[in-house]
C-alpha cells in the first residue's frame, strides 16, 4: 500500500494526466473485483484529497470526486453482477486461495443484519466494502434497490474521504501521524453503521415492550 501511494505521488508530481486513469482503475478494482479487497481505498482517497489541496497540485478536487465516485459505483455494479451469476461457483473450496472464507462469512453476516442498507453502510468498512456487493448479488437483491444504495454509498464514501484529506491532510500533526489518522478516519466512517445498529436495537426494544404491554392488556 505504501509503495502504491508513493507511486501515485510520483506520477502526480510529474503532472501526468495518466494518474486519473490509474486512480480510476484502482478504485474500480478495489470495489469491483472480489479477489482484490487488499487494494487501498480509504488511504488512497485521503492522500489524493490532501494532494489536491496543495497550491501547485495537478489534482482537481471536483474532478476527483466525480471520477472516483463513478469508479466506485461501476465497481460495485460489476461485483454485484459477478455475485449474481457466478457467486455460487466462487464460494467453492477451490477459490479459497483467492477469496478469504472468513471475510466472506463476515460480509454475509453484515448483509443479513442490515439488509439493503448494507450496500451503503459497507462502503465504510474496509475489506467488507469489496465483498458486500458480491454478497448482494448472490442474495439476488432486486437491482433497482441495489442501484440506489450503490450510488448513494459510492458518492458519500468517496466525497467524505477525499474532502477529509483536502481539509485536514496537510496539517503538520496529521501528516506526521498519518497511520493514526487513518484509524480515526475508519472509526469515523464506521459511525453510520454503529448509529444504524443502535437505532435498530432501540426499535427492537420498543417493539418488544409494546408486545409485552399488549399481552398484559389482553390478560386484564
Amino acid at each position: 500500500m505504501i509503495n502504491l501511494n508513493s507511486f501515485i505521488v510520483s506520477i502526480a508530481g510529474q503532472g501526468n494526466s495518466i494518474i486519473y486513469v490509474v486512480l480510476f482503475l484502482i478504485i474500480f478494482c478495489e470495489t469491483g473485483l472480489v479477489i482484490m479487497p487488499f487494494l487501498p481505498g480509504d488511504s488512497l482517497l485521503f492522500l489524493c484529497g490532501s494532494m489536491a489541496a496543495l497550491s501547485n497540485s495537478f489534482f482537481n478536487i471536483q474532478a476527483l470526486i466525480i471520477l472516483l465516485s463513478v469508479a466506485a459505483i461501476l465497481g460495485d455494479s460489476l461485483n454485484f453482477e459477478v455475485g449474481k451469476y457466478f457467486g455460487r461457483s466462487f464460494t467453492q473450496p477451490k477459490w479459497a486461495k483467492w477469496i478469504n472464507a472468513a471475510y466472506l462469512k463476515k460480509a454475509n453476516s453484515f448483509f443479513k443484519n442490515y439488509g439493503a442498507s448494507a450496500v451503503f453502510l459497507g462502503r465504510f468498512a474496509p475489506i467488507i466494502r469489496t465483498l458486500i456487493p458480491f454478497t448482494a448479488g448472490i442474495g439476488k437483491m432486486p437491482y433497482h434497490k441495489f442501484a440506489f444504495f450503490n450510488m448513494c454509498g459510492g458518492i458519500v464514501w468517496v466525497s467524505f474521504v477525499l474532502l477529509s484529506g483536502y481539509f485536514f491532510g496537510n496539517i503538520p500533526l496529521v501528516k506526521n501521524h498519518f497511520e493514526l489518522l487513518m484509524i480515526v478516519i475508519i472509526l469515523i466512517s464506521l459511525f453510520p453503521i454503529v448509529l444504524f445498529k443502535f437505532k435498530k436495537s432501540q426499535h427492537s426494544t420498543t417493539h418488544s415492550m409494546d408486545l409485552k404491554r399488549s399481552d398484559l392488556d389482553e390478560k386484564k
Side-chain angles (χ1 to χ4, degrees):
M1 186 190 307
I2 295 175
N3 290 336
L4 183 56
N5 285 348
S6 299
F7 174 68
I8 296 299
V9 172
S10 175
I11 297 181
Q14 297 171 15
N16 193 331
S17 58
I18 195 68
I19 187 62
Y20 282 104
V21 177
V22 173
L23 291 173
F24 182 95
L25 290 175
I26 292 173
I27 296 301
F28 176 79
C29 290
E30 196 256 355
T31 56
L33 302 181
V34 70
I35 62 173
M36 292 190 172
F38 54 84
L39 286 175
D42 297 315
S43 63
L44 184 65
L45 292 174
F46 187 87
L47 174 65
C48 291
S50 66
M51 292 175 65
L54 299 175
S55 58
N56 60 342
S57 176
F58 176 72
F59 284 134
N60 176 279
I61 190 65
Q62 290 88 355
L64 286 173
I65 289 174
I66 294 171
L67 182 71
L68 300 185
S69 291
V70 171
I73 292 168
L74 291 180
D76 262 27
S77 297
L78 171 65
N79 216 339
F80 176 84
E81 295 298 330
V82 171
K84 183 177 179 179
Y85 293 105
F86 308 105
R88 299 297 177 186
S89 299
F90 283 134
T91 57
Q92 298 299 315
K94 63 180 181 180
W95 285 96
K97 179 181 178 182
W98 302 99
I99 302 176
N100 189 303
Y103 291 152
L104 190 58
K105 186 177 179 180
K106 287 181 180 179
N108 279 319
S109 176
F110 190 88
F111 187 72
K112 287 178 181 178
N113 286 332
Y114 299 106
S117 302
V119 177
F120 176 88
L121 297 172
R123 288 283 190 183
F124 302 93
I127 302 297
I128 285 180
R129 173 167 52 243
T130 308
L131 298 171
I132 282 295
F134 180 74
T135 304
I138 292 177
K140 307 294 183 182
M141 177 189 287
Y143 185 76
H144 70 277
K145 185 178 291 186
F146 169 81
F148 173 76
F149 285 103
N150 176 26
M151 290 183 66
C152 292
I155 293 170
V156 173
W157 171 58
V158 169
S159 300
F160 171 75
V161 185
L162 276 174
L163 291 174
S164 295
Y166 186 82
F167 290 112
F168 305 112
N170 294 301
I171 297 173
L173 180 64
V174 173
K175 292 177 70 174
N176 295 332
H177 299 86
F178 182 75
E179 293 80 7
L180 291 176
L181 179 70
M182 287 316 304
I183 294 175
V184 173
I185 288 292
I186 291 172
L187 291 175
I188 293 174
S189 65
L190 290 175
F191 178 73
I193 300 174
V194 176
L195 182 62
F196 183 90
K197 195 166 186 177
F198 176 73
K199 286 187 175 181
K200 187 176 180 181
S201 176
Q202 275 195 324
H203 177 74
S204 298
T205 302
T206 303
H207 182 65
S208 178
M209 290 177 68
D210 289 342
L211 287 175
K212 287 181 179 179
R213 289 195 191 99
S214 179
D215 290 339
L216 288 172
D217 290 340
E218 287 180 5
K219 289 177 180 179
K220 290 178 181 180

